[in-house]
mmCIF file of all heavy atoms in Angstrom:
data_model
loop_
_atom_site.group_PDB
_atom_site.id
_atom_site.type_symbol
_atom_site.label_atom_id
_atom_site.label_comp_id
_atom_site.label_asym_id
_atom_site.label_seq_id
_atom_site.Cartn_x
_atom_site.Cartn_y
_atom_site.Cartn_z
ATOM 1 N N VAL B 318 -37.862 35.372 -42.850
ATOM 2 C CA VAL B 318 -38.666 34.504 -43.705
ATOM 3 C C VAL B 318 -37.758 33.531 -44.432
ATOM 4 O O VAL B 318 -36.838 33.936 -45.133
ATOM 5 C CB VAL B 318 -39.472 35.344 -44.717
ATOM 6 C CG1 VAL B 318 -40.360 34.437 -45.546
ATOM 7 C CG2 VAL B 318 -40.307 36.378 -43.979
ATOM 8 N N SER B 319 -38.021 32.258 -44.248
ATOM 9 C CA SER B 319 -37.163 31.248 -44.867
ATOM 10 C C SER B 319 -37.781 30.758 -46.176
ATOM 11 O O SER B 319 -38.931 31.078 -46.493
ATOM 12 C CB SER B 319 -36.973 30.068 -43.924
ATOM 13 O OG SER B 319 -38.108 29.233 -43.950
ATOM 14 N N GLN B 320 -37.025 29.935 -46.873
ATOM 15 C CA GLN B 320 -37.498 29.352 -48.128
ATOM 16 C C GLN B 320 -38.759 28.523 -47.935
ATOM 17 O O GLN B 320 -39.494 28.259 -48.882
ATOM 18 C CB GLN B 320 -36.418 28.424 -48.740
ATOM 19 C CG GLN B 320 -35.067 29.061 -48.988
ATOM 20 C CD GLN B 320 -34.133 28.986 -47.787
ATOM 21 O OE1 GLN B 320 -34.564 29.182 -46.647
ATOM 22 N NE2 GLN B 320 -32.863 28.730 -48.035
ATOM 23 N N ALA B 321 -38.989 28.088 -46.696
ATOM 24 C CA ALA B 321 -40.170 27.262 -46.430
ATOM 25 C C ALA B 321 -41.466 28.043 -46.623
ATOM 26 O O ALA B 321 -42.511 27.464 -46.907
ATOM 27 C CB ALA B 321 -40.115 26.721 -45.004
ATOM 28 N N ASN B 322 -41.378 29.351 -46.485
ATOM 29 C CA ASN B 322 -42.561 30.193 -46.649
ATOM 30 C C ASN B 322 -42.657 30.588 -48.117
ATOM 31 O O ASN B 322 -42.090 31.589 -48.554
ATOM 32 C CB ASN B 322 -42.440 31.428 -45.745
ATOM 33 C CG ASN B 322 -43.744 32.172 -45.619
ATOM 34 O OD1 ASN B 322 -44.626 32.075 -46.473
ATOM 35 N ND2 ASN B 322 -43.887 32.932 -44.554
ATOM 36 N N LYS B 323 -43.385 29.778 -48.876
ATOM 37 C CA LYS B 323 -43.326 29.866 -50.336
ATOM 38 C C LYS B 323 -43.696 31.239 -50.871
ATOM 39 O O LYS B 323 -43.044 31.759 -51.778
ATOM 40 C CB LYS B 323 -44.252 28.809 -50.957
ATOM 41 C CG LYS B 323 -43.755 27.403 -50.704
ATOM 42 C CD LYS B 323 -44.739 26.349 -51.190
ATOM 43 C CE LYS B 323 -44.231 24.969 -50.808
ATOM 44 N NZ LYS B 323 -45.202 23.913 -50.956
ATOM 45 N N PHE B 324 -44.745 31.829 -50.305
ATOM 46 C CA PHE B 324 -45.197 33.089 -50.896
ATOM 47 C C PHE B 324 -44.358 34.271 -50.427
ATOM 48 O O PHE B 324 -43.991 35.132 -51.222
ATOM 49 C CB PHE B 324 -46.673 33.328 -50.554
ATOM 50 C CG PHE B 324 -47.230 34.583 -51.168
ATOM 51 C CD1 PHE B 324 -47.490 34.654 -52.525
ATOM 52 C CD2 PHE B 324 -47.461 35.713 -50.396
ATOM 53 C CE1 PHE B 324 -47.982 35.818 -53.107
ATOM 54 C CE2 PHE B 324 -47.952 36.884 -50.964
ATOM 55 C CZ PHE B 324 -48.213 36.935 -52.322
ATOM 56 N N TRP B 325 -44.038 34.323 -49.150
ATOM 57 C CA TRP B 325 -43.430 35.532 -48.584
ATOM 58 C C TRP B 325 -41.903 35.562 -48.644
ATOM 59 O O TRP B 325 -41.292 36.569 -48.306
ATOM 60 C CB TRP B 325 -43.884 35.706 -47.129
ATOM 61 C CG TRP B 325 -45.347 35.978 -47.044
ATOM 62 C CD1 TRP B 325 -46.323 35.094 -46.739
ATOM 63 C CD2 TRP B 325 -45.996 37.225 -47.323
ATOM 64 N NE1 TRP B 325 -47.556 35.689 -46.800
ATOM 65 C CE2 TRP B 325 -47.377 37.011 -47.150
ATOM 66 C CE3 TRP B 325 -45.559 38.490 -47.697
ATOM 67 C CZ2 TRP B 325 -48.315 38.018 -47.326
ATOM 68 C CZ3 TRP B 325 -46.486 39.489 -47.873
ATOM 69 C CH2 TRP B 325 -47.858 39.242 -47.689
ATOM 70 N N PHE B 326 -41.282 34.456 -49.067
ATOM 71 C CA PHE B 326 -39.824 34.431 -49.127
ATOM 72 C C PHE B 326 -39.335 35.374 -50.232
ATOM 73 O O PHE B 326 -39.857 35.377 -51.341
ATOM 74 C CB PHE B 326 -39.364 32.992 -49.396
ATOM 75 C CG PHE B 326 -37.877 32.864 -49.584
ATOM 76 C CD1 PHE B 326 -37.004 33.206 -48.549
ATOM 77 C CD2 PHE B 326 -37.339 32.398 -50.773
ATOM 78 C CE1 PHE B 326 -35.635 33.082 -48.707
ATOM 79 C CE2 PHE B 326 -35.976 32.260 -50.934
ATOM 80 C CZ PHE B 326 -35.116 32.609 -49.910
ATOM 81 N N ASP B 327 -38.319 36.178 -49.914
ATOM 82 C CA ASP B 327 -37.741 37.089 -50.895
ATOM 83 C C ASP B 327 -36.451 36.466 -51.420
ATOM 84 O O ASP B 327 -35.410 36.497 -50.739
ATOM 85 C CB ASP B 327 -37.452 38.450 -50.233
ATOM 86 C CG ASP B 327 -36.935 39.490 -51.216
ATOM 87 O OD1 ASP B 327 -36.731 39.146 -52.402
ATOM 88 O OD2 ASP B 327 -36.741 40.650 -50.801
ATOM 89 N N SER B 328 -36.528 35.930 -52.629
ATOM 90 C CA SER B 328 -35.377 35.196 -53.164
ATOM 91 C C SER B 328 -34.231 36.126 -53.556
ATOM 92 O O SER B 328 -33.110 35.678 -53.795
ATOM 93 C CB SER B 328 -35.811 34.358 -54.367
ATOM 94 O OG SER B 328 -36.460 35.193 -55.297
ATOM 95 N N ARG B 329 -34.514 37.435 -53.617
ATOM 96 C CA ARG B 329 -33.430 38.349 -53.998
ATOM 97 C C ARG B 329 -32.463 38.582 -52.836
ATOM 98 O O ARG B 329 -31.336 39.016 -53.027
ATOM 99 C CB ARG B 329 -34.006 39.699 -54.435
ATOM 100 C CG ARG B 329 -34.758 39.621 -55.751
ATOM 101 C CD ARG B 329 -35.508 40.889 -56.022
ATOM 102 N NE ARG B 329 -36.354 41.244 -54.888
ATOM 103 C CZ ARG B 329 -37.084 42.342 -54.813
ATOM 104 N NH1 ARG B 329 -37.065 43.208 -55.815
ATOM 105 N NH2 ARG B 329 -37.819 42.610 -53.753
ATOM 106 N N LEU B 330 -32.922 38.307 -51.628
ATOM 107 C CA LEU B 330 -32.049 38.511 -50.470
ATOM 108 C C LEU B 330 -31.158 37.296 -50.280
ATOM 109 O O LEU B 330 -31.643 36.160 -50.271
ATOM 110 C CB LEU B 330 -32.880 38.678 -49.198
ATOM 111 C CG LEU B 330 -33.503 40.046 -48.963
ATOM 112 C CD1 LEU B 330 -34.355 39.994 -47.701
ATOM 113 C CD2 LEU B 330 -32.452 41.126 -48.840
ATOM 114 N N THR B 331 -29.862 37.525 -50.144
ATOM 115 C CA THR B 331 -28.962 36.392 -49.897
ATOM 116 C C THR B 331 -28.214 36.641 -48.587
ATOM 117 O O THR B 331 -27.918 37.786 -48.249
ATOM 118 C CB THR B 331 -27.941 36.210 -51.023
ATOM 119 O OG1 THR B 331 -27.291 37.466 -51.224
ATOM 120 C CG2 THR B 331 -28.591 35.747 -52.305
ATOM 121 N N PRO B 332 -27.898 35.588 -47.874
ATOM 122 C CA PRO B 332 -27.165 35.764 -46.627
ATOM 123 C C PRO B 332 -25.804 36.399 -46.902
ATOM 124 O O PRO B 332 -25.154 36.048 -47.901
ATOM 125 C CB PRO B 332 -26.989 34.342 -46.095
ATOM 126 C CG PRO B 332 -27.949 33.503 -46.850
ATOM 127 C CD PRO B 332 -28.192 34.169 -48.143
ATOM 128 N N PRO B 333 -25.369 37.325 -46.071
ATOM 129 C CA PRO B 333 -24.067 37.949 -46.290
ATOM 130 C C PRO B 333 -22.959 36.906 -46.274
ATOM 131 O O PRO B 333 -22.968 35.985 -45.468
ATOM 132 C CB PRO B 333 -23.927 38.909 -45.105
ATOM 133 C CG PRO B 333 -25.292 39.071 -44.548
ATOM 134 C CD PRO B 333 -26.046 37.853 -44.884
ATOM 135 N N SER B 334 -22.001 37.071 -47.177
ATOM 136 C CA SER B 334 -20.871 36.132 -47.200
ATOM 137 C C SER B 334 -19.899 36.507 -46.104
ATOM 138 O O SER B 334 -19.831 37.663 -45.665
ATOM 139 C CB SER B 334 -20.126 36.220 -48.530
ATOM 140 O OG SER B 334 -21.033 36.133 -49.568
ATOM 141 N N TYR B 335 -19.110 35.528 -45.751
ATOM 142 C CA TYR B 335 -18.068 35.756 -44.747
ATOM 143 C C TYR B 335 -16.947 36.552 -45.399
ATOM 144 O O TYR B 335 -16.291 36.073 -46.321
ATOM 145 C CB TYR B 335 -17.571 34.403 -44.231
ATOM 146 C CG TYR B 335 -16.375 34.491 -43.311
ATOM 147 C CD1 TYR B 335 -16.421 35.301 -42.171
ATOM 148 C CD2 TYR B 335 -15.217 33.758 -43.562
ATOM 149 C CE1 TYR B 335 -15.332 35.381 -41.319
ATOM 150 C CE2 TYR B 335 -14.136 33.840 -42.710
ATOM 151 C CZ TYR B 335 -14.190 34.647 -41.590
ATOM 152 O OH TYR B 335 -13.118 34.720 -40.738
ATOM 153 N N ASP B 336 -16.743 37.777 -44.940
ATOM 154 C CA ASP B 336 -15.745 38.649 -45.569
ATOM 155 C C ASP B 336 -15.126 39.567 -44.509
ATOM 156 O O ASP B 336 -15.566 40.717 -44.338
ATOM 157 C CB ASP B 336 -16.425 39.466 -46.678
ATOM 158 C CG ASP B 336 -15.431 40.153 -47.587
ATOM 159 O OD1 ASP B 336 -14.237 40.243 -47.216
ATOM 160 O OD2 ASP B 336 -15.833 40.611 -48.665
ATOM 161 N N PRO B 337 -14.106 39.088 -43.798
ATOM 162 C CA PRO B 337 -13.499 39.934 -42.752
ATOM 163 C C PRO B 337 -12.877 41.213 -43.306
ATOM 164 O O PRO B 337 -12.841 42.230 -42.633
ATOM 165 C CB PRO B 337 -12.430 39.034 -42.114
ATOM 166 C CG PRO B 337 -12.494 37.724 -42.791
ATOM 167 C CD PRO B 337 -13.510 37.756 -43.852
#
Side-chain angles (χ1 to χ4, degrees):
Chain B
V318 183
S319 78
Q320 304 88 319
N322 193 337
K323 293 174 184 167
F324 182 73
W325 294 100
F326 176 62
D327 184 356
S328 54
R329 291 170 307 177
L330 281 177
T331 52
S334 310
Y335 173 55
D336 193 345

